[in-house]
Amino acid sequence: LEIIIYNSCKDVKVGNGAFDGCKSVIFSKDGHIVARESDTPLKFKALSKYNAIVIADSSYKDLDSVIIPEKIHIEGGLHTVLSINDEAFQYCRRLKKITIPNTVRIIGDCAFCGSGLTEINLPNSLVTIKSYAFSGCTGLTEINLPSTLKTIENYAFSGCSGITKLVVPDSVTSIGMGAFKGMNKLEEITLPFVGNKIGSTSGSSDG
């Protein structure tokens, strides 16, 4: 196997076995993270000729940190990673940290529910956080919502009992029922809009 690591100046060729024993190998092309599926612990599915999603796999239960590439080589082509599929990392209790690229627009239903996350940076491309996406992530103490976000669906952050402060950006136009239910330590929440219809428990820390 010949691996090519790309950068902005030239192609660097790496010999056989150079990364034997490594769990994953991530490459950078002009500052963007690019990988082949065989070089990461993650599984992907092509949505179209150019786009892909991260899908669930039972092997994720052993991961403690994850870097999702911006682009992935699968099915003979280079695909941009646009979303994290439903239940992709649910109940991955060893998972503490995940890096999500600035290409992901959707985090699916229960994508991280019940996981061990303690640190996450949401990308400046994110538009929708679907139902129960981070439900029960009790290890999270803070979450920064990007200015691109429009929709927070039902119970998206329910049971995130470690979060004490939350700022919802101006871009958000819809907050679902129970989105922040069970945030028992929440001391301050900033909602930028007045008069927009939101779920009946979405502005409450205990529902």
Side-chain angles (χ1 to χ4, degrees), residues 64-95:
D64 55 16
S65 66
V66 170
I67 298 174
I68 298 175
E70 296 177 37
K71 296 180 182 292
I72 187 76
H73 284 279
I74 54 171
E75 299 180 13
L78 185 63
H79 297 69
T80 299
V81 180
L82 292 185
S83 67
I84 299 171
N85 204 25
D86 299 347
E87 303 176 357
F89 297 94
Q90 71 167 342
Y91 307 130
C92 290
R93 304 196 188 281
R94 293 187 182 181
L95 184 63

Side-chain angles (χ1 to χ4, degrees), residues 10 22 25-27 47 53 55 82 96 98 107 111 131 155 157 159 167 182 188 193 196 201:
K10 59 183 178 179
C22 297
V25 182
I26 301 294
F27 306 101
L47 293 177
I53 60 175
I55 60 174
L82 292 185
K96 303 300 181 184
I98 188 162
I107 295 178
S131 298
Y155 302 99
F157 294 98
V167 177
E188 179 182 343
F193 48 82
N196 287 11
T201 64

Side-chain angles (χ1 to χ4, degrees), residues 89-131:
F89 297 94
Q90 71 167 342
Y91 307 130
C92 290
R93 304 196 188 281
R94 293 187 182 181
L95 184 63
K96 303 300 181 184
K97 179 180 179 181
I98 188 162
T99 301
I100 302 175
N102 285 323
T103 55
V104 169
R105 295 173 55 84
I106 300 172
I107 295 178
D109 292 338
C110 208
F112 296 98
C113 62
S115 71
L117 280 178
T118 59
E119 182 180 348
I120 187 169
N121 291 314
L122 297 178
N124 292 321
S125 55
L126 189 64
V127 175
T128 301
I129 299 174
K130 301 191 79 173
S131 298

Side-chain angles (χ1 to χ4, degrees), residues 131-145:
S131 298
Y132 295 94
F134 294 95
S135 180
C137 291
T138 58
L140 286 174
T141 57
E142 63 177 315
I143 190 91
N144 295 313
L145 302 178

